[in-house]
Amino acid sequence: GSAMHDLNPISRRLAILAAFAAVAFLGGAARYPGTYSAADAAKLDKLSAYLNAIHTLKSNFVQLSPEGDMVQGEFSLSRPGKLRFSYNPPSPVLIVATDGSIYVKNSRLNTVDRTSLSDTPLDILLNKDIDLRHNPAVTGIEEQPGSLIVHARANTTRSQSNITLVFSSPSIELRQWMVKDNQGGVTTVALSGVQTGIVLPDTLFAVPAKDPKGK
């Protein structure tokens, strides 16, 4: 089927990516916001304009855990402030961000956990007015063949997590990100079949509820 057909380029991409994720997290000179070279500032502004133009986005995703486990699902984004990761079975997980919180539902355990969005580096994609050049969370940008790579960190001191956002270039599209947790493990999310400007119902981003007892 098409799923297997699609997997090979993604697997290859993940392998390439794992190699440069190691480099990406080590490199990248940290700068104070607003002290970029003119060329880097222009690249950050170009990426900000791309992100600000997105009101809705939907794609498939493949997520690779630090242990190498792979799960797939559907990613939806509605700016500002809302996103959803719907994981394919057998994964029991659904993640929804709305109103400044992230909710993680585990249907196997029938739990819903809430955390603040500002504790995660993904809020960088959800801001109403994205300005990567002046965002204090952004620590650098680099260009690789066919890609622009933005390094950032979570805003809060409680979390040391770092995020690396990868965009295709010269035609800009969000392709993937890597999040490094406090233990140094890297989780990679690669997007495919990205669609923007589609209608996404508000119900997608409703706060997940626990399942009724006895179901």
Side-chain angles (χ1 to χ4, degrees):
S2 63
M4 286 313 294
H5 170 72
D6 286 343
L7 205 58
N8 292 340
I10 290 176
S11 306
R12 276 204 301 278
R13 201 157 80 212
L14 289 174
I16 293 164
L17 196 142
F20 92 57
V23 176
F25 284 121
L26 299 173
R31 297 168 172 273
Y32 292 104
T35 61
Y36 299 101
S37 69
D40 282 352
K43 288 171 196 163
L44 286 165
D45 287 347
K46 188 176 176 183
L47 294 177
S48 298
Y50 161 77
L51 290 170
N52 281 320
I54 293 174
H55 298 293
T56 56
L57 180 150
K58 189 171 107 172
S59 77
N60 297 317
F61 73 87
V62 173
Q63 178 177 309
L64 204 63
S65 76
E67 297 74 41
D69 299 320
M70 193 174 88
V71 289
Q72 301 187 51
E74 192 172 83
F75 172 62
S76 311
L77 174 76
S78 179
R79 296 190 49 257
K82 296 183 168 114
L83 60 75
R84 172 187 170 107
F85 293 93
S86 177
Y87 290 82
N88 294 349
S91 172
V93 177
L94 168 68
I95 298 174
V96 176
T98 185
D99 292 334
S101 294
I102 288 191
Y103 299 88
V104 179
K105 177 175 181 175
N106 183 319
S107 54
R108 193 177 299 143
L109 305 174
N110 200 15
T111 54
V112 177
D113 295 308
R114 176 180 166 260
T115 180
S116 168
L117 187 58
S118 61
D119 284 351
T120 77
L122 270 183
D123 70 341
I124 205 167
L125 295 177
L126 296 181
N127 294 339
K128 186 169 186 293
D129 298 305
I130 295 173
D131 180 354
L132 298 175
R133 183 170 23 144
H134 297 102
N135 186 330
V138 174
T139 56
I141 182 166
E142 60 179 303
E143 192 158 10
Q144 304 239 359
S147 303
L148 287 172
I149 299 158
V150 174
H151 300 284
R153 57 169 179 256
N155 285 320
T156 56
T157 49
R158 279 191 302 250
S159 167
Q160 301 306 308
S161 62
N162 293 333
I163 187 167
T164 301
L165 298 165
V166 182
F167 299 85
S168 62
S169 176
S171 68
I172 304 294
E173 186 175 270
L174 178 61
R175 285 292 166 83
Q176 61 209 22
W177 58 81
M178 291 85 85
V179 175
K180 183 180 179 186
D181 62 31
N182 293 347
Q183 287 71 47
V186 176
T187 298
T188 299
V189 174
L191 305 181
S192 62
V194 172
Q195 298 171 273
T196 56
I198 65 261
V199 175
L200 296 177
D202 280 347
T203 48
L204 269 185
F205 305 103
V207 174
K210 289 188 187 183
D211 298 316
K213 290 277 189 289
K215 191 182 151 189

